[in-house]
Amino acid sequence: MERLRKAEWIHYANGELDTYIKFVNEQIFPKFVLAKRGYDFSPSRRSSRGGMYADGPGINMAMYHYCKNYTGERLIRVYEYKSFDSSSTIGGFYTKDKYQKLDMVLLHELAHAVQYYAYRINNTRCKPHGPIWKNIYKRLREEFLNPHLGDQVALKTEYDDDVASITKRRKSDIPVATKKELDALFARAASKT
Ligand SMILES: [Zn+2]
């Protein structure tokens, strides 16, 4: 990805994070600091992470996968973890907004960073996607993402129609091989053995 486009995405992500952290400071933990923000654009980096780093709570984002496909408006289904993907507050969704998939992962990973901070402050522990994390993530989602999601029923209908028309088109595009062509292919395959 070219440098200018990378810089734009990083600029966007940093702006979002600043807003989210302000909310965390005002509503949850006044002294929470995000000590590390990593943006990894390598295509091989598939998953993002949030948690405790050497310098304190931090996140590291697998940026390539949120940014690579956006050349124009496109309706996509964004998936959350399978166990809560169907949740209306912390689950996946349909969107045409080029930033909302990234927003979701920023909120998800920031919630992990805050969770580890909470462990330290409250001297407690729980599962990575357990009640402490879910509570933080839900508050962040309801503040910053859910109110901005489009009409999910309408978007789902449109998405399903898109999928159906693509499937139909693919089927009719595939030319049916004639017997003569198949015989030729099999003969070629046989001659190689
Ligand atoms: Zn997670």
Side-chain angles (χ1 to χ4, degrees):
M1 194 181 295
E2 68 220 75
R3 268 180 58 196
L4 185 63
R5 260 185 60 210
K6 278 187 198 171
E8 279 169 8
W9 282 96
I10 291 171
H11 179 75
Y12 174 82
N14 276 330
E16 288 299 297
L17 280 174
D18 290 343
T19 315
Y20 305 161
I21 292 162
K22 188 164 173 274
F23 173 82
V24 171
N25 289 152
E26 284 168 3
Q27 305 283 330
I28 313 176
F29 294 114
K31 290 180 179 168
F32 172 83
V33 174
L34 191 69
K36 177 192 157 71
R37 300 176 183 199
Y39 299 111
D40 188 342
F41 281 86
S42 75
S44 60
R45 174 76 188 260
R46 297 211 66 90
S47 56
S48 298
R49 184 182 175 270
M52 197 52 87
Y53 289 81
D55 298 333
I59 63 169
N60 198 345
M61 301 290 297
M63 295 298 281
Y64 183 78
H65 295 281
Y66 315 123
C67 315
K68 63 173 176 175
N69 287 326
Y70 289 106
T71 46
E73 187 186 272
R74 204 161 66 94
L75 171 57
I76 57 166
R77 169 67 159 91
V78 179
Y79 291 92
E80 248 301 354
Y81 270 69
K82 213 175 170 183
S83 61
F84 49 88
D85 182 61
S86 62
S87 161
S88 60
T89 49
I90 59 168
F93 53 84
Y94 296 88
T95 183
K96 288 180 183 178
D97 183 304
K98 72 184 249 189
Y99 293 117
Q100 285 180 337
K101 184 176 180 179
L102 175 63
D103 293 343
M104 184 191 85
V105 184
L106 284 169
L107 292 167
H108 180 125
E109 302 308 341
L110 177 64
H112 281 308
V114 175
Q115 162 188 35
Y116 278 85
Y117 180 83
Y119 289 171
R120 199 181 266 179
I121 295 286
N122 300 329
N123 196 23
T124 180
R125 275 196 92 77
C126 132
K127 285 185 201 155
H129 296 123
I132 293 178
W133 177 82
K134 279 203 171 108
N135 180 272
I136 300 163
Y137 184 42
K138 182 169 175 282
R139 290 177 73 173
L140 289 167
R141 281 280 303 255
E142 285 178 336
E143 182 70 19
F144 295 108
L145 182 56
N146 299 354
H148 307 290
L149 295 176
D151 179 341
Q152 292 299 296
V153 175
L155 287 172
K156 183 183 187 306
T157 307
E158 193 180 333
Y159 184 84
D160 290 345
D161 287 350
D162 284 357
V163 171
S165 75
I166 288 166
T167 313
K168 216 195 284 168
R169 214 181 311 142
R170 279 212 188 115
K171 266 186 202 147
S172 60
D173 279 353
I174 299 167
V176 180
T178 61
K179 184 172 184 309
K180 203 175 144 194
E181 284 168 336
L182 285 175
D183 286 346
L185 283 171
F186 286 130
R188 208 187 309 154
S191 71
K192 279 189 187 149
T193 58

